[in-house]
Amino acid sequence: MSDSAGAGSGTEPGKASVARMYDAMLGGQHNFAIDREAVAAFTAIDPRVRTLARANRDFLGRAVRFLIDSGVRQFIDLGSGIPTQGNVHEVAQAADPDARVAYVDNDPVAVAHSASLLADNPGADIVDGDIRRPADVLAAPQLRKLIDFEQPVAVLMITILHFITPQEDPRALVGAFRDALPAGSWLAMSHATNQDRPDTAAAVGQLYRSRATSPVTARSYEEILGLFDGFELTEPGLVHVPLWRPDPAVALPDNPTEYWVYAGVGRTTPR
């Protein structure tokens, strides 16, 4: 359940790539039989997985539009994954052609397709990087060419941090990116939770450990909320993914806990 293999190489033989799995969930074409087989196994655990993936992708679009309306014109999309419909630069540049986007991923398929897609777009580029090495990502020439750290920046961590293990300290990783940002910057995040459907989360975790390039660590509401340390959450706070500023024309789910991903957007607090 990720826009990324940003926490895994994506090249392990005999393993499904989490980036290609997400592409398959969204109906994309840049995936292999091994990825589709893993998605089929996921679907057997949770038949709504494709609906959940689409809800997560829709949240990304709403968050980017909100950030554009809030004055942000530059974005760092960590674990951006394989390009699909509604990419960040498409949403942002539709509102302002001068908006700039630095994508970051280390899945070879994601990087290659992103480079091809963005070849003629001076306002967007892809960094071949691992979010577990924030200093390397932030120092990448492609990112430095696009992002002005004297102006507000939005960092997007959309279903990527649950691929960071407790030993890899996701809170410290978020903090490393936060501390590099100028005042008035933002964080948009979505993250799988084990709180609503613990048996499902455990089964999915086992699936990713055994069949995919990265393990999954679903977390509690409190643990996910703690990842926003140093950011002030905007309304409606940390909520199930379809409930974050939903489009008025879209019917809300009767049981939001079926969407076992939390989402939120926060702005840096004074340091």
Side-chain angles (χ1 to χ4, degrees), residues 5-216:
S9 70
T11 59
E12 297 178 49
K15 293 278 192 177
S17 155
V18 297
R20 298 193 310 262
M21 284 177 65
Y22 190 71
D23 179 68
M25 291 175 198
L26 292 172
Q29 304 299 314
H30 303 301
N31 52 79
F32 306 140
I34 194 170
D35 310 306
R36 295 188 291 275
E37 290 164 3
V39 171
F42 197 150
T43 305
I45 298 169
D46 184 354
R48 296 177 58 82
V49 61
R50 294 179 188 274
T51 300
L52 179 56
R54 175 49 59 191
N56 182 67
R57 191 71 181 181
D58 290 345
F59 161 69
L60 172 62
R62 297 196 305 275
V64 171
R65 288 190 290 273
F66 167 80
L67 291 163
I68 283 284
D69 290 344
S70 299
V72 178
R73 292 298 181 269
Q74 43 186 8
F75 299 81
I76 301 173
D77 186 0
L78 298 171
S80 51
I82 295 169
T84 187
Q85 190 173 27
N87 296 303
V88 173
H89 73 280
E90 294 172 329
V91 177
Q93 292 176 354
D96 186 340
D98 292 329
R100 302 182 301 282
V101 180
Y103 293 104
V104 180
D105 210 297
N106 70 348
D107 180 277
V109 175
V111 172
H113 282 285
S114 297
S116 177
L117 177 70
L118 301 171
D120 297 324
N121 189 326
D125 206 346
I126 178 70
V127 174
D128 184 352
D130 189 325
I131 70 164
R132 292 173 299 187
R133 294 192 287 274
D136 291 347
V137 169
L138 292 166
Q142 304 97 314
L143 186 145
R144 286 287 166 178
K145 181 178 178 180
L146 288 169
I147 304 300
D148 176 5
F149 283 89
E150 299 298 320
Q151 300 296 324
V153 180
V155 172
L156 311 176
M157 296 185 174
I158 308 300
T159 50
I160 179 62
L161 288 174
H162 51 232
F163 291 108
I164 301 298
T165 67
Q167 294 74 24
E168 292 166 336
D169 198 349
R171 193 162 179 163
L173 288 179
V174 176
F177 285 101
R178 178 201 63 219
D179 292 347
L181 299 176
S185 291
W186 296 81
L187 170 65
M189 181 196 304
S190 59
H191 193 301
T193 182
N194 56 14
Q195 192 156 304
D196 300 316
R197 301 173 61 187
D199 292 344
T200 298
V204 171
Q206 176 58 37
L207 169 68
Y208 273 84
R209 283 192 297 274
S210 62
R211 302 183 65 161
T213 51
S214 296
V216 167

